[in-house]
Amino acid sequence: MLTGMVIDALDVARLERFWLDATRGRTGGLRLRFVPTVKPKTVLKNRLHLDLAAGPDWEAEVARLLALGATRVDIGQGTVPWDVLADPEGNEFCVLRPGHPGVLADSGLVAICLDVAEEDRHAQGAFWQSQADWHTVEFHDWGVRLRRRPDSTVSLVMGPPAAAKGARNRLRLEVTRRDWEPGEFLDAGGNEFHVTG
């Protein structure tokens, strides 16, 4: 079962504090686990990122996140109906405005987004449905959305375009599996993920 995310951090305490405040502690029961690294983020966009709900006053929520230490970033998104920010270590995340499709909460973590190449969408959807023990609730041209339950506030969204993979992913999914040895593995698209017992 998908139980959380592992996030590399140069300053574990600072990044953990940022994300606790950014999500207001609302993660849909998923654990955000921060592990130390000495390698800073590269200029490449992460293949995995988080989406937060901005609620009815999205401009105030973006201002709050900027005050916490987020920065605005341009990853080539063009004009989109959401805001793209980065945490204090440069990890991109999106702030979704009211009415965004698939958002079931007014604040906190609402989606984990995994870049998937168009040709890998079916394989990745099937792989993560089996590993996460979450179920497909939407399947469109833009991608696939999985949820633990239909009313779960956090979804796993997979779709193109897939960012280039230059190194080990800084953000990785974590699943609990009693039938696997604990460790780090690769999904169908070559993305690292963690298994705990």
Side-chain angles (χ1 to χ4, degrees), residues 47-102:
R47 277 187 159 195
L48 191 69
H49 73 269
L50 304 178
D51 283 357
L52 304 180
D57 192 353
W58 63 268
E59 291 170 314
E61 181 62 4
V62 169
R64 184 185 78 86
L65 293 165
L66 293 170
L68 290 174
T71 54
R72 291 188 181 276
V73 293
D74 185 346
I75 55 171
Q77 70 268 18
T79 303
V80 291
W82 59 82
D83 295 89
V84 181
L85 305 180
D87 71 16
E89 294 195 5
N91 299 303
E92 307 87 3
F93 66 97
C94 296
V95 183
L96 307 180
R97 298 175 188 173
H100 191 90

Side-chain angles (χ1 to χ4, degrees), residues 6-195:
V6 178
I7 302 172
D8 287 348
L10 297 169
D11 184 336
V12 168
R14 179 179 185 215
L15 209 57
E16 185 172 33
R17 187 172 49 254
F18 172 83
W19 280 105
L20 178 63
D21 292 342
T23 62
R24 301 177 187 263
R26 297 171 184 162
T27 61
L30 296 174
R31 176 179 160 200
L32 303 183
R33 184 165 63 93
F34 300 86
V35 296
T37 186
V38 295
K39 296 180 179 178
K41 183 182 180 297
T42 66
V43 295
L44 294 176
K45 174 186 171 290
N46 287 331
R47 277 187 159 195
L48 191 69
H49 73 269
L50 304 178
D51 283 357
L52 304 180
D57 192 353
W58 63 268
E59 291 170 314
E61 181 62 4
V62 169
R64 184 185 78 86
L65 293 165
L66 293 170
L68 290 174
T71 54
R72 291 188 181 276
V73 293
D74 185 346
I75 55 171
Q77 70 268 18
T79 303
V80 291
W82 59 82
D83 295 89
V84 181
L85 305 180
D87 71 16
E89 294 195 5
N91 299 303
E92 307 87 3
F93 66 97
C94 296
V95 183
L96 307 180
R97 298 175 188 173
H100 191 90
V103 174
L104 302 182
D106 282 340
S107 65
L109 177 64
V110 291
I112 301 167
C113 301
L114 176 61
D115 289 355
V116 173
E118 177 62 36
E119 61 272 15
D120 296 334
R121 189 164 43 135
H122 291 284
Q124 281 287 67
F127 178 86
W128 279 109
Q129 187 164 291
S130 70
Q131 295 306 312
D133 196 23
W134 290 20
H135 310 284
T136 300
V137 293
E138 293 181 63
F139 193 94
H140 300 285
D141 290 343
W142 55 258
V144 181
R145 184 186 307 276
L146 307 180
R147 292 190 194 274
R148 184 179 301 156
R149 297 178 313 275
D151 63 344
S152 295
T153 56
V154 179
S155 61
L156 174 59
V157 177
M158 295 170 282
K165 187 161 187 331
R168 184 171 179 265
N169 292 342
R170 292 185 68 79
L171 285 77
R172 300 172 296 281
L173 296 172
E174 186 167 67
V175 297
T176 299
R177 296 287 307 251
R178 305 264 185 253
D179 56 337
W180 283 40
E181 285 294 317
E184 187 172 288
F185 300 89
L186 296 177
D187 71 9
N191 301 296
E192 300 85 2
F193 69 97
H194 292 257
V195 173

